[in-house]
Amino acid sequence: MKSYWIKIEHFILQHTVWIFLSLFLLVSYLMQMGVLKNSWILFLQTFLKLSALFLPILGFAFFRSWLHQRLKRKLLVVFWSICFIFYPIALYLFGASSDLGLWIVPVEYFTQGEGKVLTCKTIGMNILATLIVITFTLEIALLLNKRFVERVEKNRFFQRYGLHRIILFSCGLAAVLLAGIGVIEIYEQKQAQQFFGLLSYFLSFAVQFFIIILIYYGYFWFNQNLLIPRILKKKGILFYGFAFIASILLFYPFFIWCIRVLPIVEALELEAFMGDQVFGKDHGSIPILIALLSVPVIVSTQWFKQDSQIAQLEKEKADTELRLLRQQINPHFYFNTLNNLYALSLTKDERTPEVIMQLSELMRYVIYKGKEATVLLKEEIRYIEDYVCLRQIRLHKQLDYRFEQAVENAQAKIQPLLFINLIENAFKHGIEPAEQDCFLHIHLKHNGKQLIFSCSNSFEENVRSEEGTGLNNLGRRLELLFPNRHSLETKVEQQTYTATIKISYR
């Protein structure tokens, strides 16, 4: 059951087609209200018709990721323009010259009224035109949202500037805007004003408006830094409600008095702050509104901050664990390679210097490349071939060795030392203990979307072997590197032990 929820979550996060389908569901629902019949059949018919009319848009939204990977940028822009610009225009022109409006809104939809045919056709074309505009606007909003999320993740916008700085900057912009409106009003009242006179009004108004906005911003600051963390979290909603009401009754009359002292109130006749009322003409409703609107903003901001901190801690923990798992590969490697060198030294083999050089290259790869996040696929392949070549030196039996490769791009990046555990196990538990001829068949497939590595070796049932920590470490590494996007399977069949790794990059 959990896997289905993971798939649903992956679909929602990776696709946008469901957003457009939700839009069509909403329009179909709205069409059932008011002038149209309320019927399940008509509701589903409307939804299916709208989905069929905008099928190219739905298709592009569904295959968006695939198109981004397969098509070049210029061709992608052309294809996007056809789906979101030219096709909707052609669809509307075709509808205007045909009875498409009646197909969208049939006459049977109406329960009463005269001139049904003309009315249905008009409503249908209006719905079509509205949907064309909304779908295009929605697509632009999705593109902008993607860019915004990428920039926030890359630059850590909110972490860098903080919520309070962003709000203060927005308050400054609002003060400048209101000051500009106030200067226009002054100019209309007095008609003739010199430039420097208007400039002085503008600067004065901007400062005073900023002071007024800061007073109301004080309630947001008080709510975020004192009431919510100190009272709401520790004492609950009842204490929080009374504390906020008390803050309004104690401080808001003083704030209103401070605002009334400002010359801008009389100059622009700001009625909200004029008069003798203790709480002003808004009767304290603005601070209450600020509280109602700021609570979800503050809570969501704190949640995102905590979630970001937790994610960072989990990432640091995963990175530390990955480093430890990679380091555990080294002792196995050193032990096996030193055994190879020892066997050669006993026989005084002429290949000893060459093998020592080859061993040093392998150890250099493990020590230096093993620390990197990714390596070239061709480097990992070369490492595997050199490793198998060295392990064969100790064998005194015939080894049927095959390494089949189906690699589209040898320059692709992969994580280092992912496959060596399987090959080590093949030699340790299957090939070296064997009394007869043995085999080692390796298959590697990489097409950019999926990686499949399979290692099959001869396995004698009378030889007892236990899975060591290497295979467990490999499984843990795969979980950390490719959560929910990998599989590690082992099986024994007809004296053949096969281990297979599958990794999905989509």
Side-chain angles (χ1 to χ4, degrees), residues 25 42-43 66-67 83-85 102 126 239 245 258 268 278 352 373 383 406 481:
L25 283 172
L42 295 178
F43 173 74
W66 184 85
L67 292 172
C83 293
F84 286 95
I85 298 178
L102 287 174
N126 289 339
F239 278 74
I245 291 173
C258 291
L268 297 180
V278 177
T352 302
Y383 170 74
L481 293 171

Side-chain angles (χ1 to χ4, degrees), residues 358-410:
Q358 199 170 10
L359 284 176
S360 66
E361 292 297 328
L362 290 178
M363 294 174 70
R364 184 179 291 108
Y365 182 87
V366 171
I367 295 172
Y368 295 106
K369 290 291 185 178
K371 294 180 180 180
E372 297 180 5
T374 58
V375 296
L376 296 180
L377 181 57
K378 65 177 184 180
E379 294 177 340
E380 188 75 7
I381 292 173
R382 189 187 307 117
Y383 170 74
I384 293 173
E385 292 175 338
D386 292 342
Y387 179 84
V388 173
C389 180
L390 286 178
R391 291 300 295 261
Q392 285 182 277
I393 296 175
R394 295 182 58 191
L395 295 178
H396 301 288
K397 59 181 76 70
Q398 186 67 29
L399 175 65
D400 178 15
Y401 169 61
R402 303 175 191 174
F403 190 178
E404 298 179 359
Q405 304 173 25
V407 178
E408 292 185 359
N409 181 16

Side-chain angles (χ1 to χ4, degrees), residues 195-354:
F195 172 78
F196 291 103
L198 294 175
L199 180 61
S200 62
Y201 273 115
F202 175 79
L203 296 176
S204 175
F205 288 170
V207 172
Q208 294 178 69
F209 271 123
F210 188 68
I211 293 174
I212 295 174
I213 295 174
L214 277 182
I215 289 175
Y216 287 104
Y217 168 75
Y219 276 95
F220 177 86
W221 183 92
F222 187 72
N223 200 24
Q224 182 186 29
N225 293 278
L226 295 176
L227 294 182
I228 290 180
R230 305 279 183 175
I231 298 179
L232 180 61
K233 286 185 177 181
K234 296 181 179 180
K235 291 295 184 178
I237 189 69
L238 184 64
F239 278 74
Y240 168 78
F242 276 97
F244 193 83
I245 291 173
S247 67
I248 295 176
L249 296 176
L250 287 174
F251 300 112
Y252 197 55
F254 174 74
F255 291 156
I256 289 294
W257 178 81
C258 291
I259 294 174
R260 285 174 181 161
V261 176
L262 298 175
I264 195 174
V265 174
E266 184 176 351
L268 297 180
E269 298 181 355
L270 302 179
E271 296 182 359
F273 309 111
M274 299 178 70
D276 298 327
Q277 292 92 336
V278 177
F279 290 95
K281 291 190 176 182
D282 66 337
H283 303 293
S285 60
I286 295 181
I288 296 175
L289 184 63
I290 291 174
L292 295 176
L293 295 177
S294 64
V295 168
V297 175
I298 295 169
V299 172
S300 61
T301 303
Q302 293 181 353
W303 181 84
F304 277 116
K305 183 178 179 180
Q306 292 176 356
D307 186 67
S308 177
Q309 292 174 348
I310 293 173
Q312 182 65 24
L313 290 175
E314 290 179 348
K315 182 178 182 301
E316 293 176 356
K317 178 184 176 182
D319 291 341
T320 303
E321 189 172 356
L322 279 173
R323 286 196 297 270
L324 292 174
L325 291 173
R326 283 200 296 265
Q327 290 172 3
Q328 291 178 15
I329 295 174
N330 295 348
H332 294 285
F333 176 79
Y334 296 150
F335 179 77
N336 292 326
T337 52
L338 288 175
N339 275 345
N340 290 336
L341 186 57
Y342 176 71
L344 290 174
S345 64
L346 288 178
T347 59
K348 298 181 180 180
D349 197 309
E350 296 179 354
R351 297 173 296 171
T352 302
E354 180 183 351

